[in-house]
Every structure is written in C-alpha cells, then in structure tokens.
Amino acid sequence: MKDIIENIERLSLRIVHIEPQAVYIKTELMGEHTLPCDLNAFRTDPEALESPELEEWAMEALEELRKAEDADFDPNQEPTTRDELYFLEIKSYAKEQIEEQLGNW
C-alpha cells in the first residue's frame, strides 16, 4: 500500500483555475484536465466532485502510473485487486488535494 501512495503522490496534482462549476487541475504526468464540480457543494462535501470525468481522469492516472511502474502493463487486461485499490486511492488523492488547495484560493 505504501508504494501505491508514493506513486500517486508523483502526480503532483495542483489546481490551475477555478470556476463556480469546474476545477481545472494539472498533474506532472498527465497535463491539464477539467473536472466539473459545484464548488459550493464541494466545500461542504468532497463527494460532490464525483463525476464521470473524475472516473475517467482517475483511470488515465492509473494507466500512467502503472505504465511507469511496470513496462509490461497492459491497460486492456482485467483489473487486479491492486489496480482497483490504486483507482480508489487516486480518486481520494484528487479530492484531498483539491479540498486542501481550495482553501488557498
């Protein structure tokens, strides 16, 4: 588990722009992405960030991290339990980072 968290932290997620209905994030491995989100709702409940876009971003992040970790990683193979744990941790990481950084805006 520790190695998963260390790899996720390599994303270095940061907010680059905020609008009332979206958060624009940037990561070292993947560049910029837009995550739709009602910011007022998010400030009281981080689960408000849940969306198909967050799911898609987390899957892309999982693939990038797994490729960096294992050159033979095949994103088309059936996800392992470890991959599923990775995916959930990536989503949690994104919510935590966005929540923390929103306080600085």
Side-chain angles (χ1 to χ4, degrees), residues 8-21:
I8 291 170
E9 288 173 350
R10 290 180 44 225
L11 289 171
S12 299
L13 183 147
R14 65 184 189 281
I15 295 175
V16 293
H17 183 70
I18 294 176
E19 293 182 359
Q21 297 298 316

Side-chain angles (χ1 to χ4, degrees), residues 56-101:
E56 182 180 322
W57 175 83
M59 284 304 294
E60 288 177 26
L62 170 65
E63 288 180 19
E64 289 299 318
L65 289 170
R66 291 288 284 121
K67 286 178 193 172
E69 187 179 77
D70 178 3
D72 295 327
F73 174 72
D74 178 5
N76 296 319
Q77 71 187 14
E78 193 68 28
T80 64
T81 302
R82 186 173 194 280
D83 292 338
E84 291 171 3
L85 180 58
Y86 230 137
F87 178 73
L88 293 174
E89 286 297 322
I90 289 168
K91 286 180 24 176
S92 292
Y93 169 80
K95 290 176 197 174
E96 289 169 10
Q97 290 297 305
I98 291 169
E99 182 176 29
E100 183 178 304
Q101 293 177 37

